[in-house]
Amino acid sequence: MRAVLVVNPKATTTSERSRDVLVRALRSEVHLTVRYTRRRGHATTLAREAAEEGVDVVVTLGGDGTVNEMVNGLMTAQPPTVPGAVSSAERLPALATVPGGSTNVFARALGLPREWPEGTSMILEGLRLGRYRTIGLGRADDRYFTFCAGFGLDAAVIHRVEQARRRGRVSSPSLYLRAILSQYFFASDRRRPAIRLERPGELVEAGLSTAIIQNTAPWTYLGDREINPNPKASFDLDLDVLALRQLRVPSTTRTVTQFFSSRPDPTGRQVLRLHDVAEFTLVSSRPQAFQLDGDYLGEREKVRFTSVPAALRVIC
């Protein structure tokens, strides 16, 4: 079995020594090539090249941003014909994810442990046993995502956190909390909702302030605790949406509190929830912050979202 390991050398929770341990462990199971990312977006190129070389497995060592880049590389590759393959997912290399970031939502949503040594052990077992799962993905315009997207408030918070990290701050729950409060109280136009949601054959949902899109649950983690705006979201279904209308303090506080419940079911007059939606478009009268899989991608006024069922095989 041929495999390519793509390493983000800036991954938060790994070191050169731990990477060496991982490489030795993988080489006990597969014929391995190791490649390192050098810049943002490089993992997309490396994954596409690996798929077009016809390797069997691509392995990531990095955070959710690295995984997102790898998935986009695989999904836009032109792999060679695979004998016996009956679906596009079977033509592509399988994806294995070693958690190396600060949160690792995608890996944990697949049932992998939070720490990379335990995650590596499970991946090696999956390789030995041929334990694969085929999952669906989301697509926002021409870019794929694995677990979530955001249009509005949550994306603006991620932008604030990324700016703080570039200034040397360490990613932590307290950093996110300060970013949320600053964005909500001082930088959001909470009284003038600008977003509308359009679906083929359905009435337009207007007057929305922010939207969270999920391809699986949970949406993210706060330490070890799951945060679940859309608890029924699944890799095996289409997309789920939670949108908030006016961001009033009482209703927003109540909704966010519901996210943290042991049995979350956010409801209220200011809440719009849609389950298992194949296609929709978010349109805004003014630019909104936009994120995919926890990476801020700038501002947009319009984004079309589609579900891509049974898109990719993963080792889990």
Side-chain angles (χ1 to χ4, degrees), residues 180-194:
I180 291 169
L181 295 175
S182 296
Q183 184 66 34
Y184 179 79
F185 284 108
F186 304 116
S188 297
D189 193 347
R190 295 182 280 125
R191 297 171 185 248
R192 294 192 305 134

Side-chain angles (χ1 to χ4, degrees), residues 74-308:
L74 294 175
M75 294 301 296
T76 56
Q78 297 294 323
T81 301
V82 178
V86 296
S87 68
S88 58
E90 291 177 326
R91 294 180 61 235
L92 294 170
L95 174 69
T97 303
V98 179
S102 57
T103 310
N104 306 303
V105 178
F106 178 69
R108 294 162 76 181
L110 291 173
L112 293 170
R114 184 178 181 181
E115 304 299 330
W116 75 265
E118 291 81 4
T120 299
S121 178
M122 287 191 68
I123 287 169
L124 291 172
E125 182 180 296
L127 288 169
R128 285 193 294 269
L129 299 177
R131 194 166 58 205
Y132 299 97
R133 174 184 177 185
T134 301
I135 65 169
L137 298 171
R139 186 167 61 203
D141 291 336
D142 59 353
R143 181 158 175 168
Y144 295 86
F145 61 96
T146 62
F147 64 91
C148 83
F151 193 67
L153 179 62
D154 84 304
V157 169
I158 286 172
H159 187 210
R160 280 180 175 266
V161 170
E162 289 184 356
Q163 289 177 320
R165 293 183 67 181
R166 283 195 289 270
R167 295 193 299 267
R169 301 292 298 276
V170 176
S171 179
S172 66
S174 62
L175 177 61
Y176 275 91
L177 179 59
R178 287 193 294 272
I180 291 169
L181 295 175
S182 296
Q183 184 66 34
Y184 179 79
F185 284 108
F186 304 116
S188 297
D189 193 347
R190 295 182 280 125
R191 297 171 185 248
R192 294 192 305 134
I195 302 169
R196 66 181 187 271
L197 186 150
E198 302 173 352
R199 287 184 290 165
E202 301 287 345
L203 293 175
V204 173
E205 295 282 357
L208 306 176
S209 290
T210 189
I212 292 169
I213 300 92
Q214 287 177 239
N215 187 48
T216 190
W219 170 48
T220 190
Y221 291 84
L222 187 63
D224 291 327
R225 189 163 187 172
E226 295 182 357
I227 304 178
N228 264 318
N230 293 295
K232 294 182 180 179
S234 170
F235 286 128
D236 300 319
L237 300 173
D238 291 328
L239 303 173
D240 279 28
V241 183
L242 181 142
L244 300 181
R245 303 183 193 279
Q246 290 188 353
L247 295 175
R248 296 170 178 169
V249 173
S251 60
T252 304
T253 302
R254 182 172 60 251
T255 302
V256 171
T257 301
Q258 291 172 338
F259 293 176
F260 289 87
S261 169
S262 59
R263 303 180 72 175
D265 187 23
T267 57
R269 287 187 300 173
Q270 301 300 327
V271 177
L272 169 69
R273 281 175 60 189
L274 301 174
H275 174 59
D276 197 16
V277 184
E279 176 186 348
F280 61 94
T281 302
L282 295 176
V283 183
S284 177
S285 60
R286 57 180 180 270
Q288 299 289 335
F290 173 56
Q291 65 90 5
L292 292 181
D293 287 343
D295 269 1
Y296 176 71
L297 298 179
E299 293 185 333
R300 303 285 193 279
E301 294 181 1
K302 181 178 181 180
V303 182
R304 178 174 178 263
F305 291 90
T306 53
S307 173
V308 188

